Amino acid sequence: MNTGTLRIYDTATRTLRDFEPIRPGHASVYLCGATVQSIPHIGHVRSGVAFDILRNWLTAQGLDVAFVRNVTDIDDKILTKAAEHGRPWWEWAATHERAFNWAYEQLGVTPPSIEPRATGHIPQMIEYMQRIIDNGLGYASEGNVYARTAAIENYGFLSGQKLEEMDQGESAGQGKEDPRDFTMWKAAKPGEPAWETPWGRGRPGWHIECSAMATTYLGSEFDIHCGGLDLQFPHHENEAAQAHAAGDSFANYWMHNGWVTMSGEKMSKSLGNVLSIPNVLKLVRPVELRYYLGSAHYRSMLEYSEAALTEAAAGYRRIEKFVLRASSLISGATPDIAVPVGEVLPEFAEKMNEDLAVPQALAIIHDAIRRGNKALEKAEAGDAEAKVETIRIASEVRAMTAVLGVDPLSDAWLESTLTTRGGSDSAMSALDVLVQAELERRSTARAGKDWAVADEVRDRLAAAGVEITDTADGAKWSLKG
């Protein structure tokens, strides 16, 4: 189906703009990935989920997506923390890079087309800085290399910062011509890793790595640059400034996701430890955490609370329950075959095209499920037309949830859907044995027209949160939620 035209809120222009890819049929996206200094918490991976949804929607529109997500594996904080723990800096970075990749995998985030590391692109950074210097917009001093901020045309376009009020958060010394100039390359310090350059030994500044890696893989002009709102200044502003100083157009659209907050504050280090991915996954399943992180609009702040997380998990389980019950209408087939992926509803596409309005898109999904449950009741009573309608709606639900990365019957989540249904494998197995025994007792009572016992079994199971549905193939059970 024709999904319509995606409109993106472009941070640079502060407007909603129709998305027009540079190359018809293709989309190029760069996402600022992790600085691998510590274990990831849910605030770190929100951008991974948010822009995975963007990628899925671009793909659903028939575009071939090149998606680059970098790794910053050399940085002041990495060096400091590695030294504090008595570990080599490269081991510290690699350890936490693996932790981030594990977290992305747990949440079903599609691996990027490529995931370049900063330390693997030193030659490209050197070449990029040389172009900037040759254009008169950069200079070397005392082994450092700086960008001439005031000389770069349209500097401040992205963040709205005024040059006369600007603070790069850097030292005013170290041979700078202007305290507002920012560092592209840092001169070597004793004991720190360093690479050879025409200006002396040293290591990359934060900003130059992304300018170099984005253009290495996506070209001098690409479609979309993504990242967290906290990166807008100085990081993204300076990335763009370097690219423009080197003569590159760089990104056509800029997208920034909001933070995960707690009590109105951006997650701190201490909260990050509490809300690390492994800790949160003790409360909910990975697919439920993904559903939660993706359920708010990507530009909004997501206020964390355990109650909100639990509510989101319950919302996902309503989707899961409907799709499973619909699949049970076709006996002998696994759920993913019984309910194939259909097409998204036009109203869902309309919401997604309005700057990825996921909350409104989710409302469309849950409205479809309400209609599907009504059809399902009739189908389980033997209505053939209702059965066809139920499978059709469930297939549409699969298509829409696939865009959000939470299709219960997808390869990523099918095993979880079939084995846990909201609980642990062992608990569900034990529960199934007990419930099946009660259902057998109820069936025997019904066959003997002992309605009092049959009703007693049903009521006791209902009080325990177990819902019984009588179908043509016998009684089926599920957990309420």
Side-chain angles (χ1 to χ4, degrees):
M1 65 173 289
N2 182 4
T3 57
T5 301
L6 170 63
R7 287 161 56 79
I8 291 173
Y9 182 83
D10 176 26
T11 308
T13 61
R14 278 73 169 169
T15 60
L16 277 172
R17 296 173 54 202
D18 289 354
F19 177 62
E20 298 178 359
I22 296 168
R23 293 176 55 202
H26 297 266
S28 46
V29 182
Y30 185 86
L31 170 61
C32 272
T35 297
V36 287
Q37 57 171 305
S38 60
I39 60 172
H41 56 62
I42 60 174
H44 289 135
V45 297
R46 186 187 179 192
S47 68
V49 172
F51 296 117
D52 194 41
I53 293 172
L54 167 68
R55 181 182 187 177
N56 290 345
W57 187 235
L58 293 172
T59 300
Q61 294 187 316
L63 297 174
D64 177 26
V65 183
F67 193 96
V68 179
R69 183 184 70 211
N70 78 295
V71 174
T72 296
D73 61 344
I74 183 72
D75 174 85
D76 290 344
K77 293 177 181 178
I78 292 172
L79 298 178
T80 299
K81 291 188 177 182
E84 288 174 352
H85 289 81
R87 307 307 304 167
W89 68 270
W90 49 265
E91 180 199 53
W92 188 261
T95 298
H96 293 97
E97 181 182 347
R98 287 192 296 272
F100 269 87
N101 284 333
W102 176 86
Y104 289 134
E105 183 178 357
Q106 289 294 301
L107 297 183
V109 175
T110 308
S113 305
I114 191 166
E115 193 167 25
R117 298 183 182 93
T119 54
H121 295 77
I122 302 298
Q124 290 89 338
M125 297 180 207
I126 293 172
E127 187 270 340
Y128 218 79
M129 288 185 288
Q130 187 63 63
R131 287 164 57 191
I132 294 170
I133 291 173
D134 291 345
N135 288 338
L137 299 173
Y139 59 98
S141 177
E142 302 177 20
N144 302 290
V145 182
Y146 301 106
R148 289 192 171 99
T149 304
I152 298 173
E153 185 177 357
N154 205 26
Y155 187 87
F157 81 101
L158 182 61
S159 63
Q161 295 268 355
K162 295 181 179 179
L163 193 61
E164 59 272 17
E165 300 173 356
M166 192 170 294
D167 182 2
Q168 296 285 355
E170 298 181 1
S171 169
Q174 302 172 322
K176 283 188 180 182
E177 296 176 352
D178 185 320
R180 297 168 299 186
D181 293 346
F182 63 86
T183 306
M184 295 189 289
W185 188 263
K186 298 185 176 185
K189 294 180 180 178
E192 289 188 352
W195 289 262
E196 293 288 349
T197 77
W199 315 287
R201 289 175 57 79
R203 60 183 174 88
W206 182 23
H207 316 304
I208 192 64
E209 62 178 73
C210 285
S211 300
M213 288 188 285
T215 53
T216 293
Y217 294 101
L218 298 178
S220 62
E221 182 181 24
F222 57 94
D223 291 313
I224 305 172
H225 194 305
C226 306
L229 183 62
D230 53 326
L231 301 180
Q232 187 176 342
F233 184 86
H235 186 46
H236 289 170
E237 188 75 68
N238 290 344
E239 276 186 58
Q242 290 166 154
H244 297 162
D248 291 339
S249 297
F250 213 53
N252 281 356
Y253 301 81
W254 291 84
M255 300 178 70
H256 291 91
N257 66 277
W259 302 325
V260 176
T261 60
M262 195 168 184
S263 301
E265 299 292 332
K266 183 171 179 279
M267 286 180 60
S268 65
K269 177 182 176 183
S270 59
L271 289 178
N273 291 336
V274 172
L275 298 180
S276 68
I277 305 301
N279 281 343
V280 178
L281 290 182
K282 294 175 183 177
L283 304 175
V284 294
R285 291 181 290 164
V287 65
E288 293 165 349
L289 176 55
R290 176 176 175 127
Y291 181 93
Y292 169 67
L293 291 175
S295 61
H297 191 277
Y298 77 92
R299 285 194 287 119
S300 68
M301 298 300 172
L302 179 60
E303 176 72 8
Y304 175 82
S305 71
E306 193 170 318
L309 177 64
T310 301
E311 182 180 353
Y316 172 77
R317 288 196 295 272
R318 284 192 289 273
I319 298 173
E320 182 182 50
K321 177 181 176 181
F322 166 68
V323 174
L324 277 174
R325 286 182 64 192
S327 70
S328 69
L329 293 173
I330 301 178
S331 60
T334 57
D336 55 323
I337 296 174
V339 179
V341 177
E343 291 191 345
V344 303
L345 293 172
E347 51 267 40
F348 175 89
E350 179 183 347
K351 300 304 181 185
M352 291 300 293
N353 279 333
E354 285 300 305
D355 195 35
L356 307 180
V358 171
Q360 291 77 15
L362 278 171
I364 301 298
I365 293 174
H366 284 285
D367 182 64
I369 288 171
R370 282 188 287 271
R371 290 185 284 105
N373 280 327
K374 291 179 181 178
L376 185 57
E377 291 179 6
K378 297 178 182 178
E380 290 175 337
D383 187 322
E385 290 184 6
K387 177 178 178 180
V388 172
E389 183 183 5
T390 300
I391 297 300
R392 175 184 60 78
I393 294 174
S395 296
E396 292 166 347
V397 168
R398 282 201 67 189
M400 293 184 288
T401 54
V403 170
L404 306 183
V406 292
D407 171 16
L409 305 184
S410 66
D411 290 343
W413 309 122
L414 180 59
E415 183 178 355
S416 170
T417 299
L418 295 180
T419 59
T420 65
R421 300 183 186 183
S424 68
D425 293 356
S426 58
M428 286 302 292
S429 296
L431 181 58
D432 184 58
V433 171
L434 296 174
V435 173
Q436 291 297 346
E438 287 295 282
L439 291 180
E440 186 175 342
R441 180 167 172 252
R442 177 174 177 263
S443 177
T444 300
R446 284 162 63 94
K449 298 185 178 181
D450 189 345
W451 307 118
V453 171
D455 288 346
E456 176 195 340
V457 171
R458 181 200 61 206
D459 293 344
R460 184 163 60 250
L461 289 174
V466 176
E467 185 173 27
I468 304 302
T469 304
D470 291 308
T471 74
D473 297 321
K476 307 291 184 182
W477 72 273
S478 61
L479 293 176
K480 294 178 181 179

